[in-house]
Amino acid sequence: MTVDVNRLLEELGVSSEGMSGVCASGFREASGAELETLNPSTGEVLGRVRTAARADYDAVVDHARERFAAWRMRPAPRRGEVVRRLGELLRQHKEALGALVSLEMGKILSEGLGEVQEMIDICDFAVGLSRQLHGLTMASERPRHRMMEQWHPLGTVGVITAFNFPVAVWAWNVAIAAICGDACVWKPSPVTPLCSVAVQRLVEQAFAEHEADGVLCLAVGGAEAGEWMADDVRLPLVSFTGSIPVGRQVATRIGSRLGRSLLELGGNNAVVVLDDADLELAVRAITFGAVGTAGQRCTSTRRVFAQRGISGQLTERLIAAYETVRIGDPLEEGTLMGPLSTREAVLRYEAALRSAGEEGGEVLWGGKALDRPGFFVEPALVWAPRQHEFSIAWKETFAPILYLFDVGDLDEAIAAQNAVTQGLSSAIFTDSMRAAEQFLSAMGSDCGIANVNIGTSGAEIGGAFGGEKETGGGREAGSDAWKAYMRRQTCTINWGSELPLAQGVRFL
């Protein structure tokens, strides 16, 4: 399907002459190098965006900090009204923005639209949350004293996002941070800059209508801009979504200045399938988890541990399902898998499959790069020997490769699932209440997300999203994830005429 990117951008308020990579109320144009973004379906240049030089970046951060001074004093429900307006604009432009996400990132249109819906959903969630930023009142041991805790805005937050969810993860962070009273500076992935510029235009419209322009800012750049943010003492919190190796570097740099980091790093997600499982459910969930977004989600399914009684039947059904997956233009109706994001991603896919073969794995289906323009590959099903003898399965390859293992029982499956260093998402398929409860118990999955009879991919925004171990420990979106964007203050009020000390201490 031929889509005019300029038309999409114009619908979103971006002119071809206005592709500045620095947008803070439109007050400054970027002066850094020009960045090319490619269409992963063709390999051709899709557009160009000017990046932020260091002076541009510093000006944007200073501007956001100036705006924070007033924004933090606006009552939280009033801040929620601004986020509500952003959600309304996202609703109005969902089709265009979803198509742009699919065009620039490569995910199918249904997923592109779903990503924008996530943005809308988190805006709705944040509006309600803006009236629920509550603390506690606690009993004091001293007479005529009251203790309470309250939460204050943290400051100006840095948000670094990845290419695979070029707009949704930004929204998870800033919709919550904004109602908490923070200003934000966003550094998007250099792979998907057009999406970020388009979103920033909608932000500018929504916030300017409420005299809050400049609260949410954008600075496009590469790794160097991320380093600026990690080292920047003006940013008390930096939220980083990306790979584990880069996450380690970011956390180290932020930690060296005693700043806060919110890390959403890699996953090596597994599905356990027991003998009593509903295989129809399991096959559908595994196929979407492994093939959706061309295996480029942090929650993508990468390993399956099937109990031996059904492993053969499950494998046959997965092969049959993979044969129905239509690969092609992500904007065409009926396509189920688009391209990988870059040529380098294709090379990593091929390298992983070579390693799998050298370690005794057998490709049961797919496993080839397609001879066509763009960055297309086949999803791969790989039969694997025992996991501890198969080192490639311990690594996260951001590609549609699924490793299939046989296990004897639930205990063996849980041990194998938990053996890797990542701990993001996990799932079990079983009709046994006891097996399901064991999987969800303290002796079960060690991941931040654990599901029963649904797959590893496709989280709702109402729950806190994130993982353990090398996944970073961060939590975004729902539940009480809002606390990461605020500072806690414990207050004690003496309404009496005496000054008793805690713990019975006597002085003077």
Side-chain angles (χ1 to χ4, degrees), residues 287-306:
T287 303
F288 171 69
V291 175
T293 326
Q296 297 173 111
R297 293 186 178 214
C298 54
T299 55
S300 289
T301 306
R302 313 226 178 263
R303 300 173 295 146
V304 169
F305 296 100

Side-chain angles (χ1 to χ4, degrees), residues 269-438:
N269 314 296
V271 172
V272 173
V273 185
L274 298 186
D275 286 347
D276 63 352
D278 182 329
L279 291 188
E280 176 65 22
L281 283 181
V283 168
R284 291 174 61 191
I286 292 168
T287 303
F288 171 69
V291 175
T293 326
Q296 297 173 111
R297 293 186 178 214
C298 54
T299 55
S300 289
T301 306
R302 313 226 178 263
R303 300 173 295 146
V304 169
F305 296 100
Q307 202 167 1
R308 292 191 180 95
I310 49 85
S311 62
Q313 186 181 0
L314 176 65
T315 299
E316 291 174 1
R317 290 196 180 201
L318 284 171
I319 291 172
Y322 271 48
E323 289 173 345
T324 69
V325 173
R326 178 179 168 185
I327 305 167
D329 185 339
L331 291 170
E332 284 188 0
E333 186 175 354
T335 299
L336 292 180
M337 193 181 103
L340 292 176
S341 59
T342 62
R343 178 67 63 193
E344 292 72 23
V346 176
L347 296 177
R348 288 191 289 269
Y349 161 89
E350 293 176 324
L353 289 172
R354 282 196 301 272
S355 295
E358 291 167 359
E359 295 181 14
E362 178 186 355
V363 176
L364 303 177
W365 200 93
K368 298 183 181 65
L370 299 184
D371 184 16
R372 58 176 291 177
F375 313 130
F376 291 91
V377 300
E378 297 173 330
L381 280 173
V382 180
W383 175 86
R386 297 172 64 183
Q387 179 174 260
H388 71 270
E389 300 170 350
F390 200 64
S391 64
I392 189 62
W394 291 66
K395 303 173 184 176
E396 181 191 36
T397 303
F398 234 49
I401 302 174
L402 182 64
Y403 302 114
L404 307 176
F405 297 89
D406 293 349
V407 292
D409 57 22
L410 176 59
D411 289 339
E412 182 183 350
I414 291 174
Q417 176 201 279
N418 292 349
V420 298
T421 58
Q422 309 90 346
L424 179 53
S425 188
S426 58
I428 187 172
F429 283 82
T430 178
D431 280 345
S432 166
M433 180 190 70
R434 288 178 176 173
E437 290 293 339
Q438 179 178 338

Side-chain angles (χ1 to χ4, degrees), residues 64-65 68 153-160 173-174 177-178 181-187 215-217 229 234-239 260 262 484-486:
R65 294 180 74 214
F68 166 70
L154 185 59
T156 301
V157 173
V159 180
I160 303 174
N173 281 274
V174 302
D182 299 326
C184 296
V185 176
W186 178 21
K187 193 206 85 66
V215 170
L216 305 183
C217 302
M229 295 182 88
R234 296 171 295 179
L235 305 178
L237 169 68
V238 176
S239 172
R260 298 189 197 180
L262 195 165
Y485 306 94
M486 304 196 81

Side-chain angles (χ1 to χ4, degrees), residues 6-91:
N6 289 324
R7 179 183 62 79
L8 289 177
L9 290 169
E10 287 175 4
E11 286 184 33
L12 293 162
V14 182
S15 68
S16 57
E17 290 79 27
M19 300 297 285
S20 168
V22 178
C23 311
S25 318
F27 85 101
R28 186 183 181 95
E29 293 298 313
S31 60
E34 195 173 68
L35 175 67
E36 284 187 346
T37 177
L38 302 182
N39 182 343
S41 295
T42 65
E44 298 173 348
V45 175
L46 194 59
R48 294 175 176 84
V49 175
R50 183 71 62 183
T51 61
R54 181 59 196 252
D56 304 322
Y57 165 80
D58 286 334
V60 167
V61 174
D62 286 341
H63 184 79
R65 294 180 74 214
E66 290 173 7
R67 300 300 290 138
F68 166 70
W71 181 247
R72 65 184 173 181
M73 295 308 296
R74 187 177 299 204
R78 303 287 81 81
R79 299 193 292 252
E81 291 175 1
V82 189
V83 174
R84 177 190 286 115
R85 177 56 179 151
L86 176 59
E88 291 171 353
L89 289 174
L90 289 168
R91 279 184 170 87

Side-chain angles (χ1 to χ4, degrees), residues 86 89 170 198-208 216-217:
L86 176 59
L89 289 174
W170 167 85
V199 168
Q200 184 64 24
R201 290 295 183 255
L202 300 181
V203 167
E204 289 173 2
Q205 179 180 342
F207 277 65
L216 305 183
C217 302

